[in-house]
Amino acid sequence: MNIKRAYHQYCGLASALDVLGERWTLLIVRELLLGPRRYSDLLADLPGLGTNLLADRLKFLVDKGVIRQCLSRPAYELTEAGALLRPVVLDLTRWGFGFTPDKSTVDAVRPRWGFLAAETRLRAEWAGDVDEDYEFHVDDEVFRFEVRAGQVQAAAGRAPGQATVVATADAVTLVRLGSGQMTAADALAAGELTISGPTDAVQRCRRLLDLA
Amino acid sequence: MNIKRAYHQYCGLASALDVLGERWTLLIVRELLLGPRRYSDLLADLPGLGTNLLADRLKFLVDKGVIRQCLSRPAYELTEAGALLRPVVLDLTRWGFGFTPDKSTVDAVRPRWGFLAAETRLRAEWAGDVDEDYEFHVDDEVFRFEVRAGQVQAAAGRAPGQATVVATADAVTLVRLGSGQMTAADALAAGELTISGPTDAVQRCRRLLDLA
DNA sequence: CTGCATCCGCCTCGATACTG
DNA sequence: CAGTATCGAGGCGGATGCAG
Protein backbone atom coordinates (compact mmCIF):
# COMPACT_ATOMS: atom_id res chain seq x y z
CA MET A 1 0.00 0.00 0.00
CA ASN A 2 2.89 2.34 0.70
CA ILE A 3 4.55 1.45 -2.57
CA LYS A 4 2.94 3.89 -4.94
CA ARG A 5 3.31 3.73 -8.66
CA ALA A 6 5.75 6.40 -9.73
CA TYR A 7 7.28 7.43 -13.04
CA HIS A 8 10.85 7.40 -11.78
CA GLN A 9 11.86 10.22 -14.09
CA TYR A 10 14.22 12.97 -13.11
CA CYS A 11 11.89 15.69 -14.36
CA GLY A 12 9.71 18.29 -12.67
CA LEU A 13 6.61 17.34 -14.59
CA ALA A 14 6.97 13.68 -13.67
CA SER A 15 7.49 14.67 -10.03
CA ALA A 16 4.35 16.79 -10.15
CA LEU A 17 2.36 13.95 -11.66
CA ASP A 18 3.70 11.52 -9.07
CA VAL A 19 1.91 13.74 -6.55
CA LEU A 20 -1.12 14.94 -8.52
CA GLY A 21 -1.47 12.51 -11.38
CA GLU A 22 -3.75 9.92 -9.89
CA ARG A 23 -7.44 9.96 -10.43
CA TRP A 24 -9.44 12.53 -8.39
CA THR A 25 -6.38 14.16 -6.85
CA LEU A 26 -6.48 17.45 -8.72
CA LEU A 27 -10.24 17.65 -8.28
CA ILE A 28 -9.73 17.41 -4.52
CA VAL A 29 -7.28 20.30 -4.76
CA ARG A 30 -9.90 22.24 -6.72
CA GLU A 31 -12.45 21.66 -3.95
CA LEU A 32 -10.03 23.17 -1.43
CA LEU A 33 -9.11 26.24 -3.48
CA LEU A 34 -11.76 28.40 -1.85
CA GLY A 35 -11.11 27.39 1.73
CA PRO A 36 -11.24 24.44 4.14
CA ARG A 37 -13.73 21.63 3.61
CA ARG A 38 -14.75 18.58 5.58
CA TYR A 39 -14.49 14.97 4.57
CA SER A 40 -18.21 14.61 4.00
CA ASP A 41 -18.37 17.80 1.95
CA LEU A 42 -15.68 16.50 -0.38
CA LEU A 43 -17.44 13.19 -0.69
CA ALA A 44 -20.74 14.87 -1.48
CA ASP A 45 -19.25 17.17 -4.11
CA LEU A 46 -17.26 14.50 -5.91
CA PRO A 47 -19.84 11.96 -7.07
CA GLY A 48 -18.29 8.66 -8.04
CA LEU A 49 -15.36 8.99 -5.68
CA GLY A 50 -15.35 6.09 -3.24
CA THR A 51 -14.89 6.78 0.45
CA ASN A 52 -11.80 4.57 0.70
CA LEU A 53 -10.18 6.37 -2.21
CA LEU A 54 -10.91 9.79 -0.73
CA ALA A 55 -9.29 8.69 2.51
CA ASP A 56 -6.27 7.38 0.60
CA ARG A 57 -5.89 10.56 -1.44
CA LEU A 58 -6.22 12.84 1.57
CA LYS A 59 -3.66 10.84 3.51
CA PHE A 60 -1.29 10.91 0.57
CA LEU A 61 -1.66 14.66 0.00
CA VAL A 62 -1.15 15.35 3.69
CA ASP A 63 1.97 13.21 3.58
CA LYS A 64 3.26 15.14 0.56
CA GLY A 65 2.59 18.48 2.21
CA VAL A 66 -0.03 19.67 -0.27
CA ILE A 67 -2.89 19.75 2.22
CA ARG A 68 -3.23 19.52 6.00
CA GLN A 69 -5.91 19.04 8.60
CA CYS A 70 -7.15 22.31 10.04
CA LEU A 71 -6.16 22.98 13.62
CA SER A 72 -9.45 24.39 14.77
CA ARG A 73 -12.02 22.54 12.71
CA PRO A 74 -12.41 18.97 11.43
CA ALA A 75 -11.56 19.90 7.85
CA TYR A 76 -8.77 19.88 5.29
CA GLU A 77 -7.08 22.92 3.76
CA LEU A 78 -4.32 23.65 1.29
CA THR A 79 -0.82 24.24 2.59
CA GLU A 80 1.32 26.98 1.10
CA ALA A 81 2.65 24.47 -1.44
CA GLY A 82 -0.90 23.45 -2.29
CA ALA A 83 -2.00 27.04 -2.73
CA LEU A 84 0.69 27.45 -5.39
CA LEU A 85 -1.40 25.15 -7.55
CA ARG A 86 -4.04 27.82 -8.10
CA PRO A 87 -2.54 29.14 -11.37
CA VAL A 88 -2.06 25.57 -12.59
CA VAL A 89 -5.66 24.67 -11.85
CA LEU A 90 -6.96 27.87 -13.43
CA ASP A 91 -4.84 27.37 -16.56
CA LEU A 92 -5.94 23.77 -16.89
CA THR A 93 -9.55 24.77 -16.35
CA ARG A 94 -9.34 27.40 -19.07
CA TRP A 95 -7.81 24.86 -21.42
CA GLY A 96 -10.43 22.28 -20.52
CA PHE A 97 -13.24 24.64 -21.47
CA GLY A 98 -12.30 23.88 -25.05
CA PHE A 99 -13.50 20.34 -24.36
CA THR A 100 -16.49 21.07 -22.15
CA PRO A 101 -19.63 20.05 -23.97
CA ASP A 102 -22.96 21.73 -23.52
CA LYS A 103 -24.53 20.86 -20.21
CA SER A 104 -25.88 17.35 -20.37
CA THR A 105 -28.17 15.80 -17.84
CA VAL A 106 -25.59 13.26 -16.74
CA ASP A 107 -23.11 15.92 -15.68
CA ALA A 108 -22.91 17.07 -12.08
CA VAL A 109 -22.66 20.80 -11.36
CA ARG A 110 -21.64 22.60 -8.19
CA PRO A 111 -21.81 26.28 -7.29
CA ARG A 112 -18.08 26.51 -6.67
CA TRP A 113 -17.30 25.14 -10.11
CA GLY A 114 -19.27 28.04 -11.50
CA PHE A 115 -17.36 30.47 -9.33
CA LEU A 116 -14.10 28.87 -10.43
CA ALA A 117 -15.17 29.43 -14.03
CA ALA A 118 -15.64 33.09 -13.17
CA GLU A 119 -12.18 33.18 -11.63
CA THR A 120 -10.62 31.87 -14.84
CA ARG A 121 -11.69 35.17 -16.40
CA LEU A 122 -10.07 37.23 -13.69
CA ARG A 123 -7.53 39.72 -15.00
CA ALA A 124 -5.69 40.77 -11.87
CA GLU A 125 -3.89 43.56 -13.74
CA TRP A 126 -7.23 45.37 -13.84
CA ALA A 127 -7.57 45.33 -10.06
CA GLY A 128 -7.64 49.05 -9.41
CA ASP A 129 -6.26 50.62 -6.33
CA VAL A 130 -9.53 50.08 -4.50
CA ASP A 131 -10.64 48.31 -1.37
CA GLU A 132 -13.84 46.47 -2.18
CA ASP A 133 -15.47 43.05 -2.23
CA TYR A 134 -17.53 41.49 -5.01
CA GLU A 135 -19.97 38.83 -3.83
CA PHE A 136 -21.12 36.08 -6.14
CA HIS A 137 -24.38 34.37 -5.23
CA VAL A 138 -24.28 31.09 -7.12
CA ASP A 139 -27.35 28.93 -6.69
CA ASP A 140 -27.61 28.66 -2.90
CA GLU A 141 -23.97 29.40 -2.07
CA VAL A 142 -21.99 32.61 -1.74
CA PHE A 143 -18.40 33.38 -2.77
CA ARG A 144 -16.39 36.56 -3.03
CA PHE A 145 -13.47 38.33 -4.62
CA GLU A 146 -11.62 40.58 -2.22
CA VAL A 147 -9.78 43.39 -3.98
CA ARG A 148 -7.04 44.88 -1.83
CA ALA A 149 -4.18 47.06 -3.04
CA GLY A 150 -4.21 45.73 -6.56
CA GLN A 151 -4.41 42.11 -5.42
CA VAL A 152 -7.44 39.86 -5.72
CA GLN A 153 -8.29 37.00 -3.40
CA ALA A 154 -11.06 34.48 -4.06
CA ALA A 155 -12.78 32.68 -1.20
CA ALA A 156 -15.98 30.98 -0.12
CA GLY A 157 -18.54 32.73 2.01
CA ARG A 158 -19.90 36.23 2.32
CA ALA A 159 -17.65 39.25 2.31
CA PRO A 160 -16.38 40.20 5.77
CA GLY A 161 -18.08 43.58 5.60
CA GLN A 162 -20.68 44.87 3.19
CA ALA A 163 -20.00 43.75 -0.38
CA THR A 164 -19.69 46.62 -2.84
CA VAL A 165 -21.08 44.57 -5.70
CA VAL A 166 -23.35 41.55 -5.65
CA ALA A 167 -23.52 39.31 -8.70
CA THR A 168 -26.10 36.57 -9.01
CA ALA A 169 -26.13 33.61 -11.39
CA ASP A 170 -26.54 29.88 -11.38
CA ALA A 171 -23.53 27.61 -11.76
CA VAL A 172 -24.41 26.47 -15.26
CA THR A 173 -24.54 30.05 -16.49
CA LEU A 174 -21.12 30.81 -15.02
CA VAL A 175 -19.58 27.74 -16.62
CA ARG A 176 -21.17 28.72 -19.94
CA LEU A 177 -19.64 32.16 -19.55
CA GLY A 178 -16.23 30.77 -18.65
CA SER A 179 -16.20 28.33 -21.53
CA GLY A 180 -17.29 30.97 -24.00
CA GLN A 181 -20.54 29.18 -24.81
CA MET A 182 -22.33 32.38 -23.81
CA THR A 183 -21.36 36.02 -23.63
CA ALA A 184 -21.80 38.20 -20.57
CA ALA A 185 -23.98 40.56 -22.58
CA ASP A 186 -26.36 37.72 -23.45
CA ALA A 187 -26.45 36.45 -19.87
CA LEU A 188 -27.21 39.93 -18.54
CA ALA A 189 -29.86 40.52 -21.18
CA ALA A 190 -31.50 37.18 -20.40
CA GLY A 191 -31.46 37.95 -16.69
CA GLU A 192 -29.37 34.85 -16.03
CA LEU A 193 -26.64 37.09 -14.62
CA THR A 194 -27.29 40.17 -12.54
CA ILE A 195 -24.67 42.54 -11.18
CA SER A 196 -25.88 45.14 -8.71
CA GLY A 197 -24.17 47.96 -6.87
CA PRO A 198 -22.87 51.48 -7.52
CA THR A 199 -22.42 52.01 -11.25
CA ASP A 200 -18.67 52.64 -11.10
CA ALA A 201 -18.01 49.62 -8.89
CA VAL A 202 -20.08 47.42 -11.17
CA GLN A 203 -17.97 48.66 -14.07
CA ARG A 204 -14.77 47.79 -12.20
CA CYS A 205 -16.11 44.35 -11.35
CA ARG A 206 -17.12 43.67 -14.93
CA ARG A 207 -13.77 44.82 -16.24
CA LEU A 208 -11.88 42.77 -13.66
CA LEU A 209 -13.74 39.62 -14.66
CA ASP A 210 -13.95 40.32 -18.36
CA LEU A 211 -17.74 40.52 -18.19
CA ALA A 212 -17.92 43.42 -20.63
CA MET B 1 -12.84 -0.08 -25.04
CA ASN B 2 -14.49 3.04 -26.41
CA ILE B 3 -16.29 3.71 -23.13
CA LYS B 4 -13.70 5.73 -21.28
CA ARG B 5 -13.90 6.57 -17.63
CA ALA B 6 -14.97 10.18 -17.29
CA TYR B 7 -15.75 12.44 -14.36
CA HIS B 8 -19.07 13.65 -15.74
CA GLN B 9 -18.68 17.05 -14.12
CA TYR B 10 -19.70 20.28 -15.78
CA CYS B 11 -16.38 21.95 -15.04
CA GLY B 12 -13.42 22.96 -17.14
CA LEU B 13 -10.91 21.23 -14.91
CA ALA B 14 -12.80 17.96 -15.04
CA SER B 15 -13.04 18.28 -18.84
CA ALA B 16 -9.30 18.86 -19.02
CA LEU B 17 -8.62 15.82 -16.85
CA ASP B 18 -10.97 13.70 -18.94
CA VAL B 19 -8.54 14.37 -21.78
CA LEU B 20 -5.19 14.56 -19.96
CA GLY B 21 -5.77 12.87 -16.63
CA GLU B 22 -4.85 9.31 -17.44
CA ARG B 23 -1.46 7.89 -16.77
CA TRP B 24 1.32 8.89 -19.21
CA THR B 25 -0.84 11.31 -21.19
CA LEU B 26 0.72 14.57 -20.05
CA LEU B 27 4.19 13.06 -20.34
CA ILE B 28 3.46 12.27 -23.98
CA VAL B 29 2.47 15.91 -24.47
CA ARG B 30 5.74 16.93 -22.84
CA GLU B 31 7.68 14.77 -25.29
CA LEU B 32 6.01 16.58 -28.19
CA LEU B 33 6.55 20.11 -26.87
CA LEU B 34 9.80 20.56 -28.79
CA GLY B 35 8.62 19.19 -32.11
CA PRO B 36 7.37 16.02 -33.84
CA ARG B 37 8.47 12.61 -32.63
CA ARG B 38 8.03 9.10 -33.85
CA TYR B 39 6.32 6.23 -32.12
CA SER B 40 9.54 4.45 -31.30
CA ASP B 41 11.16 7.63 -29.96
CA LEU B 42 8.28 8.11 -27.56
CA LEU B 43 8.49 4.50 -26.46
CA ALA B 44 12.22 4.77 -25.87
CA ASP B 45 11.97 7.98 -23.87
CA LEU B 46 9.10 6.82 -21.65
CA PRO B 47 10.44 3.74 -19.87
CA GLY B 48 7.68 1.70 -18.28
CA LEU B 49 5.06 2.70 -20.81
CA GLY B 50 3.74 -0.37 -22.60
CA THR B 51 3.50 -0.36 -26.34
CA ASN B 52 -0.22 -1.04 -26.33
CA LEU B 53 -0.85 1.81 -23.93
CA LEU B 54 1.15 4.25 -26.04
CA ALA B 55 -0.88 3.29 -29.08
CA ASP B 56 -4.10 3.79 -27.08
CA ARG B 57 -3.03 7.18 -25.75
CA LEU B 58 -1.90 8.44 -29.13
CA LYS B 59 -5.14 7.36 -30.73
CA PHE B 60 -7.13 9.03 -27.97
CA LEU B 61 -5.21 12.30 -28.19
CA VAL B 62 -5.56 12.36 -31.96
CA ASP B 63 -9.27 11.79 -31.55
CA LYS B 64 -9.49 14.66 -29.08
CA GLY B 65 -7.56 16.98 -31.35
CA VAL B 66 -4.58 17.46 -29.05
CA ILE B 67 -2.06 15.81 -31.39
CA ARG B 68 -2.04 14.66 -35.00
CA GLN B 69 0.08 12.58 -37.33
CA CYS B 70 2.51 14.63 -39.35
CA LEU B 71 1.73 14.88 -43.03
CA SER B 72 5.27 14.52 -44.28
CA ARG B 73 6.93 12.23 -41.75
CA PRO B 74 5.84 9.19 -39.75
CA ALA B 75 5.61 11.12 -36.49
CA TYR B 76 3.18 12.80 -34.11
CA GLU B 77 3.02 16.51 -33.35
CA LEU B 78 0.92 18.82 -31.22
CA THR B 79 -2.07 20.56 -32.77
CA GLU B 80 -2.79 24.20 -32.01
CA ALA B 81 -4.93 23.06 -29.05
CA GLY B 82 -2.10 20.87 -27.83
CA ALA B 83 0.44 23.66 -28.12
CA LEU B 84 -1.73 25.70 -25.74
CA LEU B 85 -0.69 23.24 -23.03
CA ARG B 86 2.84 24.63 -22.96
CA PRO B 87 2.20 27.10 -20.10
CA VAL B 88 0.32 24.42 -18.18
CA VAL B 89 3.17 21.95 -18.54
CA LEU B 90 5.76 24.56 -17.62
CA ASP B 91 3.79 25.66 -14.56
CA LEU B 92 3.29 22.08 -13.43
CA THR B 93 6.95 21.35 -13.99
CA ARG B 94 7.99 24.33 -11.90
CA TRP B 95 5.64 23.22 -9.15
CA GLY B 96 6.88 19.65 -9.34
CA PHE B 97 10.47 20.77 -8.79
CA GLY B 98 9.50 21.24 -5.16
CA PHE B 99 9.04 17.46 -5.05
CA THR B 100 11.96 16.38 -7.20
CA PRO B 101 14.46 14.54 -5.06
CA ASP B 102 18.16 14.55 -5.72
CA LYS B 103 19.07 12.40 -8.67
CA SER B 104 18.80 8.76 -7.72
CA THR B 105 20.10 5.91 -9.79
CA VAL B 106 16.64 4.50 -10.44
CA ASP B 107 15.48 7.67 -12.14
CA ALA B 108 15.61 8.01 -15.90
CA VAL B 109 16.91 11.26 -17.39
CA ARG B 110 16.61 12.61 -20.93
CA PRO B 111 18.27 15.60 -22.57
CA ARG B 112 14.97 17.24 -23.40
CA TRP B 113 13.83 17.08 -19.78
CA GLY B 114 16.90 19.11 -18.96
CA PHE B 115 16.09 21.60 -21.68
CA LEU B 116 12.52 21.78 -20.40
CA ALA B 117 13.88 22.58 -16.96
CA ALA B 118 15.81 25.45 -18.54
CA GLU B 119 12.65 26.66 -20.25
CA THR B 120 10.83 26.83 -16.90
CA ARG B 121 13.24 29.62 -16.03
CA LEU B 122 12.52 31.55 -19.20
CA ARG B 123 11.34 35.08 -18.57
CA ALA B 124 9.96 36.15 -21.93
CA GLU B 125 9.59 39.75 -20.76
CA TRP B 126 13.39 39.96 -20.89
CA ALA B 127 13.50 38.98 -24.54
CA GLY B 128 15.11 42.10 -25.95
CA ASP B 129 14.38 43.44 -29.39
CA VAL B 130 17.02 41.19 -30.89
CA ASP B 131 17.13 38.48 -33.54
CA GLU B 132 19.27 35.69 -32.21
CA ASP B 133 19.33 31.99 -31.34
CA TYR B 134 20.68 30.33 -28.23
CA GLU B 135 21.69 26.72 -28.69
CA PHE B 136 21.71 24.28 -25.81
CA HIS B 137 23.90 21.22 -26.19
CA VAL B 138 22.51 18.77 -23.64
CA ASP B 139 24.35 15.48 -23.47
CA ASP B 140 24.32 14.34 -27.11
CA GLU B 141 21.27 16.34 -28.24
CA VAL B 142 20.82 19.93 -29.32
CA PHE B 143 17.94 22.34 -28.66
CA ARG B 144 17.49 26.05 -29.16
CA PHE B 145 15.64 29.16 -28.11
CA GLU B 146 14.80 31.43 -31.02
CA VAL B 147 14.40 35.06 -29.97
CA ARG B 148 12.44 37.07 -32.51
CA ALA B 149 10.84 40.45 -31.94
CA GLY B 150 10.46 40.02 -28.21
CA GLN B 151 9.05 36.48 -28.54
CA VAL B 152 10.87 33.29 -27.63
CA GLN B 153 10.34 29.91 -29.26
CA ALA B 154 11.83 26.67 -27.97
CA ALA B 155 12.48 23.75 -30.29
CA ALA B 156 14.61 20.68 -30.84
CA GLY B 157 17.60 20.69 -33.18
CA ARG B 158 20.25 23.15 -34.16
CA ALA B 159 19.48 26.76 -34.89
CA PRO B 160 18.57 27.41 -38.54
CA GLY B 161 21.57 29.70 -38.98
CA GLN B 162 24.55 30.27 -36.80
CA ALA B 163 23.65 30.32 -33.09
CA THR B 164 24.69 33.49 -31.31
CA VAL B 165 25.21 31.69 -28.02
CA VAL B 166 26.00 28.07 -27.33
CA ALA B 167 25.36 26.66 -23.87
CA THR B 168 26.55 23.21 -22.86
CA ALA B 169 25.45 21.11 -19.91
CA ASP B 170 24.25 17.65 -19.12
CA ALA B 171 20.58 16.97 -18.41
CA VAL B 172 21.08 16.34 -14.71
CA THR B 173 22.75 19.71 -14.25
CA LEU B 174 19.91 21.51 -16.02
CA VAL B 175 17.28 19.79 -13.87
CA ARG B 176 19.31 20.69 -10.78
CA LEU B 177 19.35 24.29 -11.95
CA GLY B 178 15.62 24.31 -12.69
CA SER B 179 14.72 22.78 -9.38
CA GLY B 180 16.92 25.18 -7.46
CA GLN B 181 19.15 22.41 -6.14
CA MET B 182 22.06 24.27 -7.70
CA THR B 183 22.72 27.85 -8.71
CA ALA B 184 23.90 28.93 -12.13
CA ALA B 185 26.96 30.50 -10.56
CA ASP B 186 27.97 27.20 -9.00
CA ALA B 187 27.34 25.27 -12.21
CA LEU B 188 29.42 27.73 -14.21
CA ALA B 189 32.19 27.69 -11.64
CA ALA B 190 32.23 23.91 -11.62
CA GLY B 191 32.34 23.82 -15.40
CA GLU B 192 29.12 21.82 -15.51
CA LEU B 193 27.52 24.64 -17.48
CA THR B 194 29.33 26.64 -20.13
CA ILE B 195 27.89 29.54 -22.09
CA SER B 196 29.95 30.82 -24.98
CA GLY B 197 29.50 33.63 -27.44
CA PRO B 198 29.82 37.41 -27.63
CA THR B 199 29.81 38.87 -24.13
CA ASP B 200 26.69 40.98 -24.57
CA ALA B 201 24.71 38.12 -26.13
CA VAL B 202 25.78 35.78 -23.32
CA GLN B 203 24.53 38.38 -20.87
CA ARG B 204 21.16 38.58 -22.64
CA CYS B 205 20.91 34.79 -22.69
CA ARG B 206 21.70 34.51 -19.01
CA ARG B 207 19.20 37.22 -18.12
CA LEU B 208 16.50 35.67 -20.30
CA LEU B 209 16.89 32.30 -18.58
CA ASP B 210 17.55 33.61 -15.11
CA LEU B 211 21.07 32.19 -15.13
CA ALA B 212 22.58 35.18 -13.38
C1' DC C 1 12.94 -2.80 -38.21
C1' DT C 2 8.62 0.18 -37.25
C1' DG C 3 4.04 0.44 -35.68
C1' DC C 4 0.96 -1.46 -33.65
C1' DA C 5 -2.58 -5.69 -31.62
C1' DT C 6 -3.28 -9.54 -28.43
C1' DC C 7 -3.00 -11.90 -24.22
C1' DC C 8 -2.31 -12.28 -19.25
C1' DG C 9 -1.31 -11.23 -14.24
C1' DC C 10 -1.60 -7.54 -11.10
C1' DC C 11 -2.87 -3.39 -9.14
C1' DT C 12 -6.09 0.52 -8.91
C1' DC C 13 -10.61 1.91 -8.83
C1' DG C 14 -15.57 2.19 -7.45
C1' DA C 15 -19.38 0.50 -4.72
C1' DT C 16 -21.17 -1.34 -0.61
C1' DA C 17 -21.00 -2.73 4.05
C1' DC C 18 -19.27 -1.97 8.40
C1' DT C 19 -16.94 0.42 12.73
C1' DG C 20 -15.28 3.89 16.38
C1' DC D 1 -19.28 12.08 11.05
C1' DA D 2 -15.07 10.18 9.49
C1' DG D 3 -13.23 6.97 8.08
C1' DT D 4 -11.81 1.19 7.43
C1' DA D 5 -12.66 -3.48 5.21
C1' DT D 6 -13.95 -6.11 1.40
C1' DC D 7 -14.55 -7.50 -3.30
C1' DG D 8 -15.66 -7.51 -8.36
C1' DA D 9 -14.42 -4.99 -12.68
C1' DG D 10 -11.40 -2.83 -15.33
C1' DG D 11 -7.05 -0.12 -16.37
C1' DC D 12 -2.19 -0.86 -16.43
C1' DG D 13 2.49 -3.07 -17.43
C1' DG D 14 5.17 -6.63 -19.65
C1' DA D 15 5.80 -10.17 -22.98
C1' DT D 16 4.80 -11.72 -27.26
C1' DG D 17 2.84 -11.89 -32.05
C1' DC D 18 2.48 -10.00 -36.60
C1' DA D 19 1.86 -7.19 -40.83
C1' DG D 20 4.12 -3.87 -43.86
Side-chain angles (χ1 to χ4, degrees), chain B residues 58-131:
Chain B
L58 290 173
K59 214 178 305 178
F60 181 69
L61 287 174
V62 167
D63 184 56
K64 292 295 180 184
V66 179
I67 68 174
R68 64 176 159 238
Q69 306 218 40
C70 295
L71 295 173
S72 49
R73 301 184 274 164
Y76 293 89
E77 65 185 357
L78 295 178
T79 62
E80 293 69 24
L84 292 176
L85 286 169
R86 179 177 291 273
V88 174
V89 168
L90 289 173
D91 272 355
L92 255 180
T93 304
R94 251 184 303 266
W95 187 85
F97 279 140
F99 297 85
T100 306
D102 240 359
K103 173 78 180 72
S104 82
T105 50
V106 301
D107 288 347
V109 197
R110 297 289 182 271
R112 66 188 59 229
W113 307 345
F115 184 71
L116 180 74
E119 194 182 345
T120 63
R121 303 181 69 96
L122 190 145
R123 302 176 296 183
E125 69 274 15
W126 283 95
D129 194 13
V130 293
D131 244 44

Side-chain angles (χ1 to χ4, degrees), chain A residues 90-101 179, chain B residues 11-17 19-20 85:
Chain A
L90 290 174
D91 272 355
L92 255 181
T93 304
R94 251 184 304 267
W95 187 85
F97 279 140
F99 298 84
T100 306
S179 62
Chain B
C11 163
L13 182 64
S15 303
L17 292 176
V19 176
L20 305 172
L85 286 169

